[in-house]
Amino acid sequence: MAFQPGRRLEVLMLSWPADYSDAWTLSQSAARNGVGLHSGAQCRVRLGPAERDGFWVGRLQHPQQGLQRLEPALVTETRLCTALTLDSGPLATVEHLLAALAGCGITQAEIWVEGDEIPLLDGSALNWVEAIAEAGLAPLGARPPVALLTAPLTVQQGISFATALPAQRLSVAAAVEYPQAAIGRQVFSLELTPQRFVEEIAPARTFGFRDQVDQLRAAGLIQGGALDNALVCDGDRWLNPPLRFADEPVRHKLLDLLGDLALAGLPVAQVFAYRGSHGLHTALATALSVSNGPSASPAP
Ligand SMILES: [Zn+2]
């Protein structure tokens, strides 16, 4: 069952692109503030239209430094989030914002930030989807040609793996397995469209484990984590129910996967991640951007 957001968002959701075949940017700008998950500091983001393909980051306080295009090679840390090292400095926790932009069908946008982290907001991509809806989408015609895979591409880390198979459309699947009974084994797959992303994936929130929370806090991490921006699992129960979906954790894994893949642009492929992590997802994004070279055939 799809998560039912507030009426305001339902009204705004009426005109998402039908699929990912066209290029889109934002019509105008939209901004959000909030705390960063790891630093606990206030951060601000202003999204706006971009003239070139891709996602471009600039610093609100140093606009003269210009913009830098995001790509998987900028990833320098994937332990708890996807963190980049840009020419202008570090930028952590980019995955939910990038998932929202790419998932909604945006292929190019400017992301102006104040602070070294993208705000966590409610732990899902829903607030970013609202910001995108508020800004509106502007059509740019057909999406620039995307190289299609000619053979399966797999990356593996321990028992985890992610694979991209040749396909004519984007479909995504994830499977997770946790010893904690509240999560256990979950699988979720769908042929992705912007509408399905907004309804089925964007509302799924970050989750963590009670026994790790104290350790991470002591290590100076997750200073901005709270029971209102992350689901916390305690063995066979959740500390802060209700869940938005019975299988919210695996849907959040898909959200993270999409955000990490968006560093290279969403592929036209069938993608599956088994026990995914930011390290695994960004390795697949790197492999996809490398395969986007002369050996792959252009889309018709
Ligand atoms: Zn996440």
Side-chain angles (χ1 to χ4, degrees), residues 38 75-83 95 216 219 221 277-279:
H38 301 301
V75 174
T76 46
E77 170 65 54
T78 56
R79 197 164 32 138
L80 292 166
C81 67
T82 298
E95 59 269 21
L216 292 168
L221 299 167
S277 62
H278 293 302

Side-chain angles (χ1 to χ4, degrees), residues 149-153 164-166:
L149 287 172
T150 53
L153 192 61
L165 302 170

Side-chain angles (χ1 to χ4, degrees), residues 46-284:
R46 197 185 74 217
L47 305 174
E51 289 175 1
R52 296 167 291 180
D53 183 50
F55 301 121
W56 301 79
V57 169
R59 302 283 175 173
L60 276 167
Q61 289 162 307
H62 303 285
Q64 74 286 357
Q65 289 178 350
L67 292 153
Q68 184 173 6
R69 185 179 182 162
L70 298 188
E71 50 176 288
L74 299 171
V75 174
T76 46
E77 170 65 54
T78 56
R79 197 164 32 138
L80 292 166
C81 67
T82 298
L84 313 175
T85 301
L86 306 173
D87 295 342
S88 59
L91 185 64
T93 322
V94 297
E95 59 269 21
H96 303 160
L97 169 58
L98 293 183
L101 287 165
C104 289
I106 303 283
T107 51
Q108 56 198 70
E110 292 183 1
I111 302 166
W112 291 90
V113 300
E114 182 182 329
D116 291 342
E117 200 172 349
I118 302 293
L120 187 63
L121 304 175
D122 75 345
S124 78
L126 207 49
N127 288 274
W128 295 119
V129 169
E130 285 180 331
I132 291 163
E134 207 176 280
L137 274 66
L140 296 166
R143 188 178 163 186
V146 178
L148 291 178
L149 287 172
T150 53
L153 192 61
T154 299
V155 294
Q156 187 158 13
Q157 293 180 354
I159 59 164
S160 300
F161 67 90
T163 187
L165 302 170
Q168 296 296 320
R169 293 168 191 277
L170 174 61
S171 61
V172 289
V176 296
E177 284 186 288
Y178 288 96
Q180 289 84 355
I183 306 177
R185 290 184 178 150
Q186 298 181 356
V187 182
F188 192 78
S189 68
L190 79 172
E191 190 176 302
L192 204 66
T193 65
Q195 185 75 45
R196 287 186 197 136
F197 170 79
V198 168
E199 291 177 359
E200 306 279 342
I201 305 294
R205 290 163 294 172
T206 304
F207 60 97
F209 299 94
R210 184 180 191 168
D211 50 3
Q212 292 170 353
V213 167
D214 291 342
Q215 288 174 15
L216 292 168
R217 285 237 169 94
L221 299 167
I222 62 166
Q223 303 296 317
L227 290 177
D228 60 357
N229 58 19
L231 284 168
V232 180
C233 177
D234 185 18
D236 59 358
R237 69 192 187 104
W238 294 95
L239 291 188
N240 48 353
L243 272 61
R244 292 176 176 176
F245 308 96
D247 54 0
E248 191 166 349
V250 72
R251 293 181 192 234
H252 187 81
K253 279 286 177 190
L254 273 183
L255 175 64
D256 284 339
L257 172 66
L258 290 166
D260 291 334
L261 292 178
L263 286 165
L266 288 186
V268 179
Q270 185 181 3
V271 180
F272 174 62
Y274 172 70
R275 297 179 68 146
S277 62
H278 293 302
L280 186 75
H281 302 157
T282 54
L284 183 64

